[in-house]
Amino acid sequence: MRKVEELTEFGELYRASRAVSHRGWHAGAELGDRDGDGTMLAYHDSGDEAEYVFRAGERPLFNIMNGGHGSPPDRYGYRVWTLRPGVAGSVGPRVGRLEVAGTDGEAVAADIVAHTFAVNIDIGPRPRTMDEIFEWRAPELTVRVFDKGDAVLYEGPLLTEDWSGERR
């Protein structure tokens, strides 16, 4: 219950005053607009992580990942957490830059904040009904991951079967 209260407070402070830290929680990369519709990734000093969803006129919603989002982004340097309204996730310590190319081939650079990234790229219309949600297929996007010296660590499909950046 304590985490829920902390995240609720942090989300409201972040939206109202652009606070970037509160009770051990820190703002990561964001998609869209925190005053309208958007997503923000957050992490805690303990290793817990969260994903906020902001909608105009509503309180922020969030998902808590106790102990983190999953396996660390090591082999390809990244891990995808969400696909709405763009692409967001985490990057490993070797990553200096990440970009995603849409179906038109145009690359969009990611904003990297701490160990999180966000790419505001069009991935198609948002599903509105349950049928559309289950029928929706992500477009084929390409990711290029660079190390801090600008050498390519990985170039290939953004999404794999488990969205983790690790092939099976």
Side-chain angles (χ1 to χ4, degrees), residues 127-142:
R128 296 173 308 227
T129 67
M130 290 305 284
D131 287 341
E132 288 178 357
I133 289 170
F134 289 114
E135 292 172 4
W136 184 79
R137 297 291 174 257
E140 294 198 21
L141 304 172
T142 301

Side-chain angles (χ1 to χ4, degrees), residues 3 24-25 44-48 67:
K3 288 179 192 176
W25 286 99
H44 193 270
D45 295 334
S46 68
D48 294 338

Side-chain angles (χ1 to χ4, degrees), residues 10-11 14 19 26-31 34 38-43 50-54 81:
F10 181 43
Y14 183 73
H26 307 281
E30 70 178 69
L31 295 168
R34 73 187 96 174
T39 298
M40 187 259 299
L41 306 181
Y43 59 96
E51 176 186 342
Y52 279 90
V53 176
F54 296 101
W81 293 11

Side-chain angles (χ1 to χ4, degrees), residues 93-104:
R94 299 181 337 171
V95 175
R97 186 165 61 98
L98 182 145
E99 58 188 33
V100 176
T103 54
D104 62 0

